[in-house]
Amino acid sequence: MEANRFVSNAAGLVSAAMAREAMFSTSLGGGVAFPHVRGVEGGPLTLAIGTSRQGIDWDGVGDMVNIVCFSVIPVAVSPFYLRLMGALTETFLKPGVVAQIVDAQDRQTLWKTIIKSTRHTVK
């Protein structure tokens, strides 16, 4: 996100997201987590998606996460962000979607899979 100039101070954003995560996990179960930082000023809503075939022990007690959707949310777009997260949650809960996304072999395939999977939920 920082390398592509969508955000600045990526380390600070990750630190803030992990501090929030320590208070309340954003893992949905089913292999998906939505860590985020809200109230950021000076930039657009930014979302990065990362995948792990083997999974990440998200909460230290075996809750394995295969898809991480990290968001940086400016105050002005909070209502849109909530609708987007609801739509993504609905998408990821559909049978087989997490596996299709995690199995993507490259960025282009990942993007096409996400677009196809969300075409009826993200509006």
Side-chain angles (χ1 to χ4, degrees):
M1 294 166 81
E2 187 172 47
N4 289 305
R5 298 185 183 152
F6 289 107
V7 300
S8 58
N9 188 18
L13 293 171
V14 170
S15 179
M18 296 315 290
R20 189 224 174 271
E21 198 70 32
M23 292 186 290
F24 185 79
S25 177
T26 59
S27 173
L28 268 185
V32 182
F34 290 97
H36 57 277
V37 179
R38 287 188 191 204
V40 176
E41 294 298 336
L45 171 66
T46 306
L47 173 68
I49 297 177
T51 62
S52 169
R53 284 187 184 88
Q54 64 205 58
I56 301 163
D57 185 357
W58 193 252
D59 56 9
V61 295
D63 185 13
M64 299 304 283
V65 168
N66 303 95
I67 300 174
V68 176
C69 298
F70 178 59
S71 304
V72 178
I73 309 127
V75 174
V77 298
S78 281
F80 172 74
Y81 163 76
L82 293 173
R83 288 194 320 269
L84 176 62
M85 291 303 105
L88 288 174
T89 299
E90 182 181 341
T91 298
F92 292 139
L93 291 175
K94 292 179 184 175
V97 170
V98 169
Q100 289 174 348
I101 290 171
V102 171
D103 288 342
Q105 298 296 315
D106 54 48
R107 282 188 241 170
Q108 292 78 15
T109 305
L110 175 63
W111 182 243
K112 286 177 184 176
T113 304
I114 290 170
I115 294 297
K116 181 180 178 185
S117 300
T118 60
R119 72 178 175 264
H120 297 296
T121 55
V122 176
K123 299 173 180 164

